[in-house]
Amino acid sequence: MTPRPADQRFDVVVVGAGVIGTAIAARLSSTSARVCLLEATDDVAEGASKGNAGITSSYYAAPGTLESDVIATSYRRWDDVCRRLDVPFRRIGAVMAALTSDEADGLPGELANAKACGVAASIVSGDQARRLEPLIGPDCIQGLVLPDEGIIDPMRLCVGFAELAARNGVQVRFDSPVIDIESQDGRVVAVITPQARIETSFVVNAAGLFADQISELAGGTNFKMWPRKGEYWLIDRDWGRTLRHIVFAAPLPDSKGIHVVPTTNGTALLGPSVTDSDRRYDKTTDAEMLAHVTEKTKRLVPSVPMDRAIKAFAAIRPASEKKVRIEVDEVVPNLVHAINRSTGVSSSLGIADRVAELLAGAGLDLTVRTDALDHIPTVRRLLLDPEPETLAALDPRYTQVVCACEDVSAAEIQAALEMAVPARSIDGVRKRTRATAGRCQGSVCMAGVTFMCSLAQNRAPGDVVVTAAGTAGA
Amino acid sequence: MNGGPKVVVVGAGLAGLTVAGALGPSASVTLIDRLPAAGGVLGYDHPAVISEVARVRAAGVRSLLGTTALRWVDSRLLVAGPGGIEWLAVDRLVFAGGARPAVPSELRLFGPRVAGVIAATVAVHLAEAEVAMGRDVCLLGVSDWAERAARILRHQGARLTGVSTEEGRPPVYGDQWWMGWQPVALEGTRRVTAVIVARGESRQRITCDTLVLAGDSRPLRNVDGAIAEGPGVDFAQRTADRQSIEEVRRHSLEIAGRIRDQIAAR
Ligand SMILES: Cc1cc2nc3c(=O)[nH]c(=O)nc-3n(C[C@H](O)[C@H](O)[C@H](O)COP(=O)(O)OP(=O)(O)OC[C@H]3O[C@@H](n4cnc5c(N)ncnc54)[C@H](O)[C@@H]3O)c2cc1C
C-alpha cells in the first residue's frame, strides 16, 4: 500500500519509540487513526528497551494488578507476533531456584500467585530442577518451574513494531524530541518539536524515563520518574547456548534478584543489579556492582565462565511511584500515559490494546482497516537459518560475511540499511543484525560496517554515526 | 594434491600458511581465508609470506580465499565465499585466525558508554580511509597494533599518550607513556574524555578524546563449534602481544608435526 502523504495533523501523536511506543504505533496502524510516532533520539530502542534481559514473562506481578493483567494479555501471543514481525523468540521456560530454606519457603506463595494469574507453574525438587537445567548448581534445594516464560530479542521487537507501523502509514520521526505541548481549554492541541508543530487530537505519553516531563508539558498529572539502573554481564555464545532455561533467583521483598538468562542469539546475560539514582543519563558500569552480579550468579549457575564475558553494560528502568501507569491523565482528557518500569517488553502487546481501548473510550474512531498489513518481510539470517546453504541463490551478498563472530552477511546489513525504519548508525545496524555485537566487539568488522553505512547513507566514513553519542571520527 | 584425511586450515596468515605447507604432503589440505589474499597481518608482500605461499603451492594445498568459515558441526565445516555457502566434509580443523585486541570487558575497564573507544584494528582501517580519529589519543597496550595505530594517528597530527600494564622501557612511538599502570575506568558523557589508570593505591586521570584498544591480545575465534578446544580442532594462534616471525613459524610447525604424527598413527 502507498503511505499517506506527510502531513502535520494527526489523530494521535505517540511520544517515544521504545517498546511501548512502537507497540502502540503498530497496534493503531491497523485502524483508521492517523498516527505520528515521535522519538527524541536517532532510532527505536534507545532507552530502557535496548538494554533489558528480553524475558517475556508469563508470571511477574501479584494477581489482580494492572501489571499482571497486561502481561496476561500478552504472553501467549509471542509465538505468532514474532513470526509476523521477524523477531527472534523462543519459549524456553524458566526455573526459579531457591538456594536456602527461607527462599524455598517463599516458593509456595509464588506458585499460588502464578496459578491465580492463570499461569502454568509447578514446584520441583533441587534434583529435578538440575535435571531440567543441568547448569543449575548444587545449592539449589527447590525450584519453581514456569514453562511459559520466553526470551525475545527486545531490540528487534521494537524494530518489528516500528517497521509494521511505518509500512501501514504511521509517520515515524526521529531526532524529534517533544519540547513543548500546546493546550486549549484543558486539552492538548499540538505538539512541538524543533522541526515542526504537529496538531493532534490525542497524545500518548510513552516517553519512559522522561514521561514526567511530557505530562508536565501537557499540563497533566504531576508525577516523578527516576532512573533505576541495572548492570549486566554478557557471556559468549559458546557457553550461553548450553544454557537451556532462564534461571531466576528466588525473589526478594523489593526486587526480583539477579538471574542467568539465555538470549535469542545464544549468548547469556547475568544480572541485573539495582541502583536508584537521580542521574537520568547515567549508564556507567562499575567494577564493584559487576563483581556482586558475578558472585550472585555463580551460586545459581557455578560454571558460568567469567573469562568469556564479552561485554558489561547498564540499562535504566523508568521508575516511578506506580510501577505501571496506563491511564487517561487525571486532568487532561486527551492525554494517555503508557509507562512500565520492569515488564514493558512482556506487556507491550497488552499495553497497546489497553491504550487503544482508552483512546476509543475517549472518543477516537478506531475503525479496523481491512487493507492493513499484519506482518513485515522476513530477512533470513545466516546464523540462525536452518538451511544456510540455500541463501546464496537468494542473494549473493549472503556469501559476504562482514561480522564473522555473529555470522552477519552483507545481505542482512544491506536489508537493515534499506528497510522502512532503517538503521541510521552502526548501533542501528547492530540492533537489527548483531553485526559488531560478538565476542570481538567489532574489532574486525566495525570498519566494514562503517563503510557500508557510509555508502548507504551517502556520507563520509568519518561522519557515520556510531552510537547516538557520536561519530567514528572525532 | 594428496589423499589422506581432509584437513582445513582457517586463516592464511603466517601461522596458517606454515601449518598448511607442512601438512600438505601428508593430507588433503584446504586453506581458507576471509580476505582475498594470503598474508594476514603481515601482508601479502612480506618476504616470509611470499616464501610460505610458494611452499603451500608446491605442497598441493587447495586455497579458498575470500571465504569465511562459519561453523563446525560433526566433521562438517560451513563456509561462505565466492563459491556459495556450502558444507565441507572435514576430518580435522586447524584454526589460525590470528589475534585481536582485548575488549573493555576483558580488560575489566568499566564506566560510561561513550563514543571514541575503538579497537586499534578499526582505528587503523578508518584512519587509512582518511577518517580523523582524534587529537588527543590514548593508546592502551604495547603491541604491533599500537605501533601501527600510533604511526598513522601521529600522521593525522594526534597527540599520543600510551598506557601499558607492563613495567619497563616505553616504546619509541607515542609522546608519553605510563608504564606499569592499569586502566580501570573511562570517563565522559557522550564522547570519552579521560581514562583512569591505577597503580597500587594511586589513581591518575589521563585526558583523551579517543581511546585506542591495542593490547592484551586474545586469539580471535569466530568459528562456532571451534571456539574452545574440542575434538578434531587445533589452534595455531599467537598468544603474546609480540611474537617474532621465527616464533610463529616454530609454533606452527610444532602443531603441524603433532597433527602429522597423529595422522600417521591411524
Ligand atoms: C536492566 C533491565 C532489565 C529489564 N528486563 C526486562 C525483561 O526481561 N522483560 C521485560 O518485559 N522488561 C524488562 N525491563 C523493563 C523494560 O525494559 C521497560 O519496561 C521498557 O523497555 C519500557 O519501555 P518504554 O518504551 O516505556 O521506555 P523506553 O525504551 O525508555 O522508551 C522511551 C522513549 O521515549 C523517548 N523520549 C523521551 N522523551 C522524549 C521526548 N520529549 N520526545 C520524544 N521522545 C522522547 C526516549 O528517547 C525513548 O526512546 C528491563 C529493564 C531494565 C532496565
Side-chain angles (χ1 to χ4, degrees):
Chain A
M1 60 156 296
T2 47
R4 292 194 181 86
D7 58 7
Q8 302 282 61
R9 155 121 209 102
F10 294 89
D11 298 316
V12 185
V13 165
V14 180
V15 184
V19 70
I20 294 178
T22 55
I24 292 166
R27 170 69 182 79
L28 297 178
S29 79
S30 67
T31 73
S32 55
R34 294 170 302 162
V35 179
C36 179
L37 175 61
L38 295 177
E39 168 55 45
T41 69
D42 70 345
D43 200 1
V44 299
E46 274 299 307
S49 305
K50 174 161 65 177
N52 60 66
I55 299 167
T56 57
S57 306
S58 54
Y59 161 65
Y60 191 94
T65 57
L66 177 58
E67 186 169 25
S68 69
D69 272 9
V70 281
I71 290 173
T73 47
S74 302
Y75 81 89
R76 291 192 184 85
R77 294 156 65 188
W78 292 117
D79 309 77
D80 169 54
V81 168
C82 292
R83 215 172 297 122
R84 288 189 282 109
L85 298 185
D86 194 24
V87 179
F89 169 74
R90 285 190 289 139
R91 196 177 291 281
I92 58 174
V95 182
M96 186 183 283
L99 304 175
T100 63
S101 54
D102 274 359
E103 289 179 359
D105 289 347
L107 292 187
E110 295 290 329
L111 176 71
N113 270 350
K115 292 243 155 106
C117 290
V119 170
S122 58
I123 289 181
V124 298
S125 70
D127 284 338
Q128 286 169 320
R130 277 179 290 275
R131 261 198 299 282
L132 194 63
E133 175 49 68
L135 295 180
I136 291 177
D139 289 355
C140 171
I141 54 175
Q142 228 176 37
L144 177 72
V145 178
L146 294 162
D148 283 333
E149 305 276 300
I151 53 172
I152 199 166
D153 182 328
M155 294 172 274
R156 286 269 296 279
L157 179 61
C158 297
V159 170
F161 280 142
E163 182 74 9
L164 181 70
R167 283 171 178 260
N168 276 332
V170 169
Q171 265 198 33
V172 183
R173 298 189 191 175
F174 294 108
D175 304 315
S176 298
V178 172
I179 50 173
D180 202 0
I181 294 177
E182 280 177 24
S183 302
Q184 232 170 45
D185 307 326
R187 292 179 70 90
V188 169
V189 292
V191 162
I192 313 293
T193 71
Q195 299 87 3
R197 176 178 180 278
I198 303 159
E199 291 180 8
T200 184
S201 309
F202 292 89
V203 169
V204 175
N205 177 11
L209 187 55
F210 298 89
D212 51 352
Q213 296 175 1
I214 296 298
S215 190
E216 191 182 342
L217 290 176
T221 312
N222 183 18
F223 57 88
K224 181 169 151 25
M225 305 294 306
W226 69 86
R228 175 169 290 185
K229 186 163 78 176
E231 294 178 47
Y232 281 109
W233 286 110
L234 183 67
I235 307 292
D236 197 321
R237 198 165 67 228
D238 198 41
W239 180 81
R241 65 159 47 129
T242 63
L243 179 70
R244 298 203 296 253
H245 297 83
I246 303 165
V247 182
F248 287 129
L252 305 164
D254 191 36
S255 112
K256 293 279 169 178
I258 285 168
H259 320 303
V260 183
V261 186
T263 71
T264 51
N265 54 71
T267 51
L269 286 166
L270 316 179
S273 56
V274 179
T275 321
D276 281 311
S277 90
D278 50 11
R279 286 172 299 169
R280 297 195 188 205
Y281 297 95
D282 178 21
K283 289 195 188 176
T284 303
T285 53
D286 95 294
E288 249 169 65
M289 194 52 87
L290 285 160
H292 169 72
V293 169
T294 305
E295 189 194 315
K296 288 282 186 190
T297 47
K298 285 260 173 194
R299 290 203 60 203
L300 291 173
V301 175
S303 67
V304 51
M306 294 314 296
D307 57 338
R308 311 302 299 284
I310 64 182
K311 191 177 179 179
F313 64 94
I316 297 176
R317 306 171 189 85
S320 189
E321 303 92 63
K322 288 189 182 177
K323 281 162 64 185
V324 178
R325 185 188 298 270
I326 308 158
E327 61 200 18
V328 177
D329 189 81
E330 290 159 17
V331 188
V332 181
N334 62 343
L335 172 65
V336 177
H337 303 293
I339 307 152
N340 183 337
R341 183 189 78 194
S342 299
T343 51
V345 176
S346 308
S347 60
S348 50
L349 294 168
I351 291 177
D353 285 346
R354 188 165 286 241
V355 166
E357 280 164 29
L358 293 173
L359 289 168
L364 177 66
D365 174 18
L366 289 179
T367 307
V368 175
R369 264 168 60 187
T370 52
D371 63 339
L373 299 170
D374 69 349
H375 66 280
I376 65 170
T378 300
V379 177
R380 288 172 65 185
R381 315 273 163 172
L382 199 48
L383 181 67
L384 300 173
D385 201 277
E387 294 180 324
E389 59 281 7
T390 62
L391 291 170
L394 197 67
D395 182 339
R397 290 173 297 191
Y398 275 109
T399 67
Q400 295 168 31
V401 180
V402 177
C403 170
C405 293
E406 296 297 308
D407 291 3
V408 185
S409 67
E412 292 154 70
I413 294 175
Q414 201 59 37
L417 291 164
E418 287 172 357
M419 56 202 295
V421 181
R424 301 163 77 227
S425 64
I426 291 182
D427 255 12
V429 171
R430 179 175 62 81
K431 284 188 236 172
R432 287 161 180 78
T433 68
R434 296 200 41 78
T436 77
R439 61 183 72 82
C440 91
Q441 291 285 295
S443 309
V444 177
C445 69
M446 181 89 81
V449 176
T450 306
F451 297 137
M452 284 190 76
C453 288
S454 148
L455 280 175
Q457 297 162 354
N458 195 22
R459 49 170 91 161
D463 298 334
V464 168
V465 175
V466 181
T467 70
T471 52
Chain B
M1 187 69 218
N2 309 279
K6 297 190 191 70
V7 177
V8 168
V9 179
V10 175
L14 187 61
L17 285 165
T18 307
V19 172
L23 285 179
S26 36
S28 159
V29 180
T30 304
L31 178 63
I32 290 181
D33 200 291
R34 281 164 54 77
L35 298 179
V41 279
L42 289 182
Y44 66 93
D45 53 354
H46 190 286
V49 169
I50 292 172
S51 64
E52 281 309 324
V53 166
R55 209 186 317 263
V56 160
R57 285 228 179 86
V61 170
R62 178 167 84 121
S63 292
L64 285 180
L65 296 181
T67 298
T68 307
L70 298 170
R71 84 190 68 132
W72 165 253
V73 190
D74 301 332
S75 296
R76 292 191 315 155
L77 183 70
L78 183 69
V79 301
I85 300 172
E86 55 179 331
W87 288 98
L88 306 178
V90 178
D91 298 310
R92 209 146 172 159
L93 180 67
V94 183
F95 188 78
R100 60 165 174 85
V103 301
S105 68
E106 289 166 332
L107 296 168
R108 300 298 188 254
L109 181 58
F110 301 113
R113 187 162 184 270
V114 285
V117 179
I118 192 160
T121 38
V122 179
V124 169
H125 268 303
L126 291 180
E128 280 168 354
E130 317 265 306
V131 175
M133 297 306 305
R135 294 171 174 287
D136 214 351
V137 175
C138 183
L139 283 173
L140 288 193
V142 176
S143 64
D144 296 340
W145 295 308
E147 187 166 356
R148 282 186 65 191
R151 204 175 309 130
I152 189 156
L153 296 176
R154 160 58 49 76
H155 185 73
Q156 290 191 344
R159 203 191 110 77
L160 301 167
T161 308
V163 179
S164 173
T165 51
E166 282 157 47
E167 304 282 348
R169 260 208 338 208
V172 292
Y173 51 90
D175 297 293
Q176 191 196 351
W177 277 89
W178 295 75
M179 301 301 291
W181 289 79
Q182 175 84 40
V184 290
L186 303 172
E187 282 183 12
T189 47
R190 295 177 72 80
R191 197 174 176 91
V192 62
T193 52
V195 54
I196 308 300
V197 296
R199 178 182 183 130
E201 292 300 299
S202 33
R203 294 279 182 284
Q204 289 288 333
R205 187 169 175 279
I206 302 173
T207 58
C208 60
D209 60 16
T210 300
L211 180 69
V212 173
L213 306 171
D216 200 357
S217 82
R218 306 293 159 110
L220 180 71
R221 300 268 165 95
N222 55 28
V223 176
D224 274 8
I227 300 299
E229 315 291 324
V233 184
D234 294 272
F235 295 98
Q237 287 174 291
R238 66 173 190 176
T239 43
D241 281 349
R242 293 177 146 239
Q243 235 180 42
S244 70
I245 286 176
E246 261 327 297
E247 279 168 323
V248 173
R249 280 183 45 89
R250 186 152 36 79
H251 182 228
S252 307
L253 287 173
E254 252 171 55
I255 290 164
R258 202 173 63 224
I259 296 172
R260 210 170 31 221
D261 292 348
Q262 288 167 1
I263 289 172
R266 269 204 283 162

